[in-house]
Amino acid sequence: MDTLLLTGDDVHRIARHVGLDALMDALIERLTEACATFDPEVTAVPARAGFSYTHPAEGLIEWMPCMRRGAEAVVKVVGYHPANGRSGVLPTIVSTVSAYDTTSGHLQCLMDATFLTALRTGAASAVATRILARSEAETVGLIGAGAQAVTQLHALTRVLPIRRALVYDVDPATAASFAERVAPVAGHVQIEQAPADEVAASVDVLCTATSVGVGEGPVFETTDLRSWCHVNAVGSDFPGKVELPLSLLHWSLVCPDFRTQAHAEGECQRLAPEAVGPDLAALVRDAGRYAVARDRLTVFDSTGWAVEDQVAMELFVEEAEALGLGQRLPLEALDGDSLNPYDFVMAPALQMEA
Amino acid sequence: MDTLLLTGDDVHRIARHVGLDALMDALIERLTEACATFDPEVTAVPARAGFSYTHPAEGLIEWMPCMRRGAEAVVKVVGYHPANGRSGVLPTIVSTVSAYDTTSGHLQCLMDATFLTALRTGAASAVATRILARSEAETVGLIGAGAQAVTQLHALTRVLPIRRALVYDVDPATAASFAERVAPVAGHVQIEQAPADEVAASVDVLCTATSVGVGEGPVFETTDLRSWCHVNAVGSDFPGKVELPLSLLHWSLVCPDFRTQAHAEGECQRLAPEAVGPDLAALVRDAGRYAVARDRLTVFDSTGWAVEDQVAMELFVEEAEALGLGQRLPLEALDGDSLNPYDFVMAPALQMEA
């Protein structure tokens, strides 16, 4: 039994073949469907765990597991190292994702998940935003203009008639390069820079996707947002790391992607359980019921839900198989006598390279 | 940055090149050294977690993480599917292990860990046995004669003058084939079959390595063991799955590999914290202090400690690099603009295979 390996190059080929818009659209629809049909008896999603450290530099390596009973277990391992982004050599988020057959334990597929993570995080915001923002929303604010901001804006343009984006980043160069970076997917959107508070106060939909340090949030001060503003808080994903002013959470309907995890490391870590609204699956299932929220302040607390990774991985693997992309490698030692770890010694001599 | 991929074939080539005895010896010495120098401030080992299920068949997929600060995080994913073993097509334990750079999140290496798991489980028993069993021990008992029993016996022959092994398995064919399977590594050991209780009562060192079901243990009834018997309980690794009679634990010095985990899923799950002796690292560090235990009943409660995997992986990667084995693949999408997930769209067109 082989393992399918999909490299970053393979993933890029798939994206070019399918097209970025069609890929984002497919992911938004599949994720919406996965939310609508989500059944915790079928899909098990434990809260992620990981290693965090401050030496030699701030960082985090965590694993995000998700299992569909009788099918596969998907485990994404994601590294978060802000120094990568600052150096400009590596992405802040570096990730791979694996799928294991739950009937045998076999590793079916390993693929790059750096691109997948950015894509699915955008798609998740689009799923929430389509329900919670006014359908005529035209203006997006982006606080934090790094890699995640690119897919946030792209995803939002797929579900709303966005014409203008206001952008802020602590690094002026990152803010300045944003327009060029999103040009391939949001060429029709007028991009302007503005201070963080002005961005927050002037938009129909706001996305925060920053690497703000633990204890250093929020990333803007004003709570004078448009009364119908919908906020996607994407960067809050670690105990003590928060992006939004607390009073904004109090005034808003707050919808976490994954309740347990959001209470542990999202914006919801500052809220009592009873102060938190429906999670993403419940929101999609009862979308009609939450239509009234379009005229009010709403927050999608996006910490990263492993179901998003599972859905995205499935989409890429289907496309890879259709296109014949990827390599197949007999990674595990599965041949021979299953009761004898040493049976290869008795097999015909292998040719040694060395 | 590439990822080193070591397949089962590569691992086998390394084992053939180094030699099974030399490989086991190296692993026993390295693991002893890792125990002697173990510092929880340097090496973080959370208890493993996983998915367990009973449909469509009994199984478990779990992840075992271990991090050396400032170096790498190692995550082994291990599948335990007893139906594999019964079908004879796949090993009961199927596993891969990955190492991630904690300065960047980069996946440095992915390798088969099916063979590694069997090998290091044997080595761990040898480390404990060398301290807790009489140095003149000649007779080993094996209850459960599957894949793990092969490396248990092999490892024990590397540290004790073993001349005779008594073997029992619930499957007579598995018991019958054991002698042939261990011949390459224990050709000098006389192998005999016997009922479980007779095996337990007649040996200097006993190893239990079974797939006994939850609530179906113990795997033998007698507590009339030799008064100096040392027991390696290898199969107990799941809540409710136990191999030893409770009173045997009460009469023995019980040493877990990893205390927290042993209380959750090892033989120690039936013991109060104060009834449990030193863990493997403490045992090695204070080996002299426990010399008196050689004349008494002792139990090594081996649930699987992620440090064993880290040590074994490091050994295989060193050998692979020395021999020039393995493939290097640019698995993650790390090139290009780290702030732009879509920058590949602007790169020169890639050749499409499809």
Side-chain angles (χ1 to χ4, degrees), chain A residues 1 5-9 12-13 15-17 20 24 44-46 51-53 55-56 61 63 65-67 69-70 73-75 77 79 81 84-85 88-92 94-96 100-107 110-112 114-115 118-119 145-147 150-151 154 174 177 180-181 184-185 323 325 327 329-334 336-342 344-354, chain B residues 1 5-9 12-13 15-17 20 24 44-46 51-53 55-56 61 63 65-67 69-70 73-75 77 79 81 84-85 88-92 94-96 100-107 110-112 114-115 118-119 145-147 150-151 154 174 177 180-181 184-185 323 325 327 329-334 336-342 344-354:
Chain A
M1 287 201 287
L5 299 169
L6 295 178
T7 65
D9 260 2
H12 289 166
R13 279 169 207 261
R16 292 168 77 109
H17 181 83
L20 294 178
M24 185 60 89
V45 191
F51 296 116
S52 65
Y53 33 84
H55 299 283
I61 288 179
W63 38 97
C66 174
M67 178 190 60
R69 287 184 197 286
V74 166
V75 182
V77 176
H81 295 86
N84 283 1
V89 177
L90 293 173
T92 296
V94 172
S95 182
T96 48
Y100 304 87
D101 182 344
T102 58
T103 63
S104 66
H106 169 56
L107 174 60
L110 167 71
M111 67 175 281
D112 169 60
T114 301
F115 179 66
L119 205 68
V150 174
T151 49
H154 180 217
T174 299
S177 67
E180 194 185 328
R181 285 183 278 126
V185 287
L323 294 171
L325 287 176
Q327 298 178 45
L329 202 65
L331 198 60
E332 299 134 330
L334 299 179
D337 179 358
S338 66
L339 293 179
N340 188 5
Y342 293 152
F344 65 91
V345 173
M346 286 170 292
L350 298 165
Q351 185 106 28
M352 287 298 296
E353 281 94 322
Chain B
M1 287 200 287
L5 300 169
L6 295 178
T7 66
D9 261 2
H12 288 166
R13 279 170 208 259
R16 291 167 78 110
H17 180 85
L20 294 178
M24 185 61 88
V45 192
F51 296 116
S52 66
Y53 33 83
H55 300 283
I61 288 179
W63 39 96
C66 174
M67 178 191 59
R69 289 184 196 286
V74 167
V75 182
V77 176
H81 294 86
N84 283 0
V89 177
L90 293 173
T92 296
V94 172
S95 183
T96 47
Y100 303 86
D101 182 344
T102 57
T103 62
S104 65
H106 169 56
L107 174 60
L110 167 71
M111 67 176 280
D112 169 61
T114 301
F115 179 66
L119 205 68
V150 174
T151 48
H154 179 216
T174 299
S177 67
E180 194 185 328
R181 285 183 277 126
V185 287
L323 294 171
L325 286 175
Q327 298 178 44
L329 201 65
L331 198 60
E332 299 134 328
L334 299 180
D337 179 357
S338 65
L339 293 178
N340 188 5
Y342 292 152
F344 65 92
V345 173
M346 286 170 291
L350 299 165
Q351 185 105 31
M352 288 298 297
E353 280 94 324

Side-chain angles (χ1 to χ4, degrees), chain B residues 241-311:
Chain B
K241 184 184 175 199
V242 296
E243 298 185 314
L244 305 187
L246 180 56
S247 57
L248 177 60
L249 296 177
H250 289 153
W251 291 330
S252 303
L253 175 71
V254 179
C255 303
D257 50 0
F258 180 15
R259 190 175 299 274
T260 323
Q261 193 169 279
H263 276 296
E265 52 186 71
E267 296 295 328
C268 290
Q269 62 191 287
R270 294 172 293 166
L271 296 181
E274 60 273 17
V276 175
D279 64 22
L280 188 61
L283 188 66
V284 171
R285 214 161 42 228
D286 295 329
R289 190 175 148 198
Y290 296 103
V292 63
R294 293 186 168 190
D295 293 323
R296 309 212 181 139
L297 282 171
T298 52
V299 170
F300 174 49
D301 185 9
S302 176
T303 60
W305 188 35
V307 172
E308 298 159 10
D309 301 313
Q310 185 205 33
V311 168

Side-chain angles (χ1 to χ4, degrees), chain A residues 231-291:
Chain A
V231 183
N232 297 300
V234 171
S236 179
D237 52 10
F238 194 76
K241 185 185 175 198
V242 296
E243 297 185 314
L244 306 187
L246 179 57
S247 57
L248 177 60
L249 295 178
H250 289 153
W251 290 329
S252 303
L253 175 71
V254 180
C255 303
D257 50 359
F258 180 15
R259 190 174 298 274
T260 322
Q261 194 169 278
H263 275 297
E265 52 187 71
E267 295 296 328
C268 290
Q269 61 191 288
R270 294 173 291 165
L271 297 181
E274 60 273 18
V276 175
D279 64 22
L280 188 62
L283 188 67
V284 171
R285 213 161 42 229
D286 295 330
R289 191 175 148 199
Y290 296 104

Side-chain angles (χ1 to χ4, degrees), chain B residues 20-22 24-25 28 126 130 153-160:
Chain B
L20 294 178
D21 286 350
M24 185 61 88
D25 290 351
I28 292 169
R130 186 155 60 173
L153 181 57
H154 179 216
L156 294 178
T157 63
R158 304 308 301 164
V159 296
L160 292 174

